[in-house]
């Protein structure tokens, strides 16, 4: 049984921080940091990972939720990056995370006759050849009438025909958290709410870090033979902390997405369309569509990037250019914004900056990984651990994560074949069993056990009926959730999937987890009020006309507490 990231695990893990030197200290709990912790631990190294907030609290919970090669990189002739990403897509679909990563079809509407079909078709054919043919269905050319059958929502004049191709999608926050759980299962110590406040030095060499436990306020010193910084858009903060200039810097690009109800668009497939800057996706997401993204420079608060009224208008204008019945702001049930960590290049236009990654050792013992894209996290992790291993020396095995399934993968297909029988035996609707398997894989049996012990946990959450109470409890008892926001925003996606952003669900979720986390009534109310204030701040930011106004609204909320 995989390691349970419950409060007892955290208490014991914090107690070991000052006691022994580890081989590798990883700073950053996004997908690359979690991947590096897993890579190092699976090689037999002693590993500690620290994250200032929650797993995937930054960029890794705010992506387009796609595992893809990046069609637009073909146009930039970046064949190596596309090939690498498509190889990783195949590994995730077939071996590493088939319970979390699933194929999804996309329609590429064609708006010009002859030349566009030949040009785009050749690119998508190359996309299949580079790696797609072995993992997802091949692309298919469609006439206008054939495309209409898949996309009745599109206007008659929106296309002359289309091409359908396949990519894959993932719940990025859950995937990142489960990589961290897999790292823990391989012996790593993984800690959230543990912020690095300084690096430990022996002369010029970095030999660890000073950290503060944000739950208790206590500080600790972690001694490490090597330190890996996988801090994404916070990479330049590490430059300030070390006082050593890095060979690269990171520029932030903001990407905004909106969610609308599934029944609002009569589509039987996802969709991709070109924009003047990049591409825009319409992505199926359970009972919703995710539509995005934007690509604009951001130089404000890194923790809370926000969607402005202008961002939302940009997305609506572009998608509405193809639709029979335009979407309006009233259709939107959720928004989110994330920051891409792009390595600076010769141009200031963020859409043209490289998505390739780089590894450097700016100070002896300190290794930094930056750039890249979500899909290639495993390659990035292996590369930075390879660099650390070279300094450690000795007979350390090569990376084996290409053959190491993430927790929940083993046994997933067996359970998937038994969905009807499981629904009967667990006294759950078939759609609930399918929902659990798509989020937990074979670990769904843990939730079945929780329900068997307390049948009330099979009930849907008031205000967020797509989730059941067992999932909320499990987030604390197994998945490392420490706060209300961890659950409503990352262990589940309630904060973007219901029109009230989870306000109605928050009190019930807090009630379920309070005894597990030792909260009294005052602490419970503080958590609920903090979440209420966050939601209202984000809604106010969504009405702002520009980034500066949105940033101010998000950081200085008007008190709208429930209690």
């Amino acid at each position: 049984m995989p390691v349970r990231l419950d409060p007892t695990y955290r208490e014991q893990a914090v107690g070991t921080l000052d006691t022994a030197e580890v081989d590798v200290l990883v700073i950053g709990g996004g997908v690359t940091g979690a991947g590096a912790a897993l890579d190092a631990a699976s090689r037999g190294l002693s590993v500690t990972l620290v994250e200032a907030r929650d797993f995937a609290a930054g960029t890794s919970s705010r992506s387009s939720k796609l595992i893809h090669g990046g069609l637009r990189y073909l146009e930039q002739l970046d064949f190596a990056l596309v090939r690498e990403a498509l190889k990783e897509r195949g590994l995730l679909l077939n071996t590493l995370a088939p319970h979390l990563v699933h194929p999804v079809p996309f329609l590429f509407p064609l708006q010009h006759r002859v030349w566009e079909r030949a040009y785009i078709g050749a690119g998508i054919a190359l996309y299949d050849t580079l790696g797609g043919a072995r993992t997802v269905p091949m692309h298919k050319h469609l006439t206008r009438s054939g495309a209409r059958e898949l996309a009745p929502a599109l206007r008659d004049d929106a296309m002359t025909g289309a091409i359908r191709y396949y990519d894959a999608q993932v719940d990025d926050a859950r995937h990142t958290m489960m990589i961290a759980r897999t790292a823990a299962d391989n012996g790593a110590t993984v800690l959230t709410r543990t912020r690095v406040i300084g690096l430990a030095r022996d002369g010029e060499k970095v030999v660890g870090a000073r950290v503060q436990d944000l739950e208790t306020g206590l500080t600790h010193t972690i001694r490490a033979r090597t330190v890996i910084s996988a801090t994404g858009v916070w990479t330049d903060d590490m430059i300030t902390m070390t006082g050593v200039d890095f060979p690269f810097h990171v520029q932030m690009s903001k990407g905004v997405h909106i969610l609308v109800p599934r029944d609002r668009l009569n589509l039987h497939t996802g969709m991709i369309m070109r924009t003047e800057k990049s591409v825009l996706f319409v992505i199926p997401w359970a009972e919703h569509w995710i539509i995005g993204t934007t690509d604009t420079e951001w130089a404000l608060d890194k923790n809370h990037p926000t969607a402005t009224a202008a961002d939302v208008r940009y997305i609506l204008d572009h998608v509405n250019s193809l639709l029979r019945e335009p979407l309006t702001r009233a259709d939107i049930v959720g928004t989110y914004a994330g920051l891409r960590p792009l390595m600076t290049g010769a141009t200031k236009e963020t859409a043209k900056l490289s998505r390739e990654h780089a590894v450097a050792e700016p100070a002896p013992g300190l290794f930094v990984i930056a750039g890249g894209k979500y899909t290639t996290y495993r390659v990035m992790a292996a590369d930075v651990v390879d660099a650390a291993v070279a300094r450690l020396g000795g007979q350390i095995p090569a990376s084996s994560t290409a053959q190491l399934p993430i927790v929940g993968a083993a046994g997933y297909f067996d359970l998937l074949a038994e969905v009807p029988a499981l629904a009967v035996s667990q006294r759950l609707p078939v759609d609930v069993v399918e929902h659990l398997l798509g989020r937990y894989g074979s670990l769904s049996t843990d939730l079945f056990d929780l329900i068997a012990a307390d049948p009330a946990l099979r009930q849907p959450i008031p205000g967020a009926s797509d989730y059941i109470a067992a999932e909320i409890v499990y987030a604390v008892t197994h998945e490392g959730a420490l706060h209300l926001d961890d659950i409503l925003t990352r262990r589940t996606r309630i904060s973007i999937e219901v029109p009230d952003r989870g306000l109605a669900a928050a009190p019930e979720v807090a009630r379920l987890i309070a005894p597990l986390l030792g909260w009294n009534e005052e602490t419970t109310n503080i958590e609920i009020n903090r979440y209420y204030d966050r939601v209202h701040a984000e809604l106010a930011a969504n009405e702002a006309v520009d980034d500066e106004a949105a940033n101010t609204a998000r950081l200085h909320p008007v008190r709208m507490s429930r209690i």
Side-chain angles (χ1 to χ4, degrees), residues 139-182:
H139 76 282
K140 182 178 181 180
H141 283 261
L142 301 172
T143 63
R144 177 187 285 178
S145 60
R148 282 176 181 165
E149 292 181 8
L150 289 176
L154 300 191
R155 295 197 329 263
D156 288 340
D157 62 350
M159 58 184 173
T160 60
I163 301 174
R164 185 187 64 187
Y165 75 99
Y166 280 78
D167 254 320
Q169 74 173 176
V170 66
D171 184 329
D172 48 7
R174 288 203 59 76
H175 176 244
T176 298
M177 177 274 297
M178 292 181 86
I179 296 171
R181 280 196 72 184
T182 310

Side-chain angles (χ1 to χ4, degrees), residues 201-544:
R201 304 272 193 133
D202 181 2
E204 292 298 312
K205 189 176 189 303
V206 174
V207 294
R210 297 185 304 280
V211 302
Q212 182 180 32
D213 179 356
L214 299 181
E215 297 298 291
T216 65
L218 298 177
T219 59
H220 304 270
T221 297
I222 303 173
R223 293 183 294 121
R225 296 173 64 199
T226 58
V227 176
I228 291 175
S229 169
T231 49
V233 296
W234 289 269
T235 296
D236 282 13
D237 294 348
M238 290 297 298
I239 297 176
T240 301
M241 187 176 293
T242 61
V244 177
D245 195 22
F246 291 10
F248 49 76
H249 293 258
V250 167
Q251 181 170 322
M252 297 181 290
S253 168
K254 186 179 75 167
V256 170
H257 298 79
I258 65 174
L259 277 78
V260 301
R262 191 69 174 265
D263 60 8
R264 188 59 186 81
L265 291 178
N266 189 7
L267 297 172
H268 307 298
T269 174
M271 189 170 68
I272 179 175
M273 59 182 292
R274 298 171 68 113
T275 70
E276 66 276 10
K277 292 183 178 180
S278 183
V279 295
L280 192 78
F281 287 99
V282 179
I283 306 163
W285 180 261
E287 300 304 315
H288 301 85
W289 298 98
I290 294 176
I291 307 175
T293 179
T294 60
D295 201 338
T296 57
E297 192 169 342
W298 176 267
L300 301 169
D301 181 68
K302 298 182 180 73
N303 289 333
H304 306 294
T306 51
T308 67
D311 294 324
V312 171
R313 175 49 52 195
Y314 173 89
I315 293 172
L316 290 176
D317 285 348
H318 279 82
V319 73
N320 284 340
S321 69
L322 299 181
L323 298 179
R324 293 177 183 271
E325 183 180 345
L327 296 170
T328 70
R329 287 182 65 92
D331 294 313
I332 297 172
V333 298
T335 66
Y336 65 92
L339 300 176
R340 304 178 189 92
L342 305 179
M343 289 186 296
T344 51
T347 174
K348 289 294 186 181
E349 298 178 50
T350 59
K352 295 180 181 178
L353 293 182
S354 175
R355 298 304 300 275
E356 294 183 30
H357 64 272
V359 175
E361 188 181 8
L366 174 66
F367 298 87
V368 180
I369 177 83
K373 59 201 296 283
Y374 192 100
T375 301
T376 56
Y377 80 91
R378 193 196 63 81
V379 176
M380 296 170 63
D383 284 352
V384 72
V385 174
D386 281 345
V389 162
R391 175 165 285 278
L392 288 171
Q395 298 298 311
I396 299 171
S399 175
S400 62
T401 53
Q403 296 82 40
L404 181 58
I406 294 167
V407 291
Y412 162 69
F413 288 114
D414 292 336
L415 288 178
L416 194 62
E418 298 294 328
V419 166
L422 284 171
V424 173
S425 66
Q426 302 302 320
R427 294 192 293 129
L428 292 168
V430 168
D431 63 331
V432 172
V433 174
E434 291 174 338
H435 162 86
L436 295 177
L437 288 176
R439 286 169 47 77
Y440 304 90
S442 59
L443 298 182
S444 297
T445 56
D446 291 345
L447 287 97
F448 298 155
D449 290 342
L450 287 175
I451 293 170
D454 183 359
L457 296 182
R458 64 165 46 89
Q459 296 302 314
I461 296 299
S465 58
D466 288 342
Y467 299 91
I468 63 173
E471 296 179 83
I472 307 304
V473 170
Y474 191 78
V476 173
T477 60
H478 290 71
E479 296 180 340
L482 296 172
H483 292 277
L484 190 57
D485 183 63
D486 297 345
I487 296 173
L488 294 172
T489 305
R490 288 172 292 277
R491 303 304 183 277
T492 71
R493 290 317 184 103
I494 291 171
S495 67
I496 60 172
E497 292 178 342
V498 295
D500 75 348
R501 310 304 204 263
L503 296 180
E508 175 62 14
V509 172
R511 182 192 69 80
L512 285 166
I513 64 176
L516 303 172
L517 291 168
W519 294 351
N520 57 23
E521 183 178 359
E522 180 183 7
T523 303
T524 302
N525 289 339
I526 288 172
E527 287 279 333
I528 295 171
N529 288 336
R530 184 182 294 130
Y531 184 77
Y532 271 53
D533 290 343
R534 193 209 94 172
V535 168
H536 288 295
E538 288 182 349
L539 291 173
N542 290 166
E543 300 297 325

Side-chain angles (χ1 to χ4, degrees), residues 89-173:
R89 185 188 69 179
L91 287 172
L92 287 162
L93 281 167
N94 296 326
T95 304
L96 305 183
H99 54 314
L100 301 173
V101 180
H102 308 284
V104 60
F106 285 96
L107 195 72
F108 195 122
L110 302 173
Q111 297 177 310
H112 303 279
R113 297 184 184 278
V114 185
W115 73 265
E116 189 181 25
R117 184 179 291 277
Y119 178 68
I120 300 299
I124 294 178
L126 180 59
Y127 197 67
D128 281 344
T129 303
L130 285 171
R134 293 185 297 276
T135 58
V136 297
M138 295 284 286
H139 76 282
K140 182 178 181 180
H141 283 261
L142 301 172
T143 63
R144 177 187 285 178
S145 60
R148 282 176 181 165
E149 292 181 8
L150 289 176
L154 300 191
R155 295 197 329 263
D156 288 340
D157 62 350
M159 58 184 173
T160 60
I163 301 174
R164 185 187 64 187
Y165 75 99
Y166 280 78
D167 254 320
Q169 74 173 176
V170 66
D171 184 329
D172 48 7

Side-chain angles (χ1 to χ4, degrees), residues 3-14 180 184 187-191:
V3 171
R4 296 174 51 164
L5 303 184
D6 60 8
T8 299
Y9 169 91
R10 188 179 192 282
E11 181 181 1
Q12 293 174 346
V14 169
T189 296
V190 296
L191 286 168

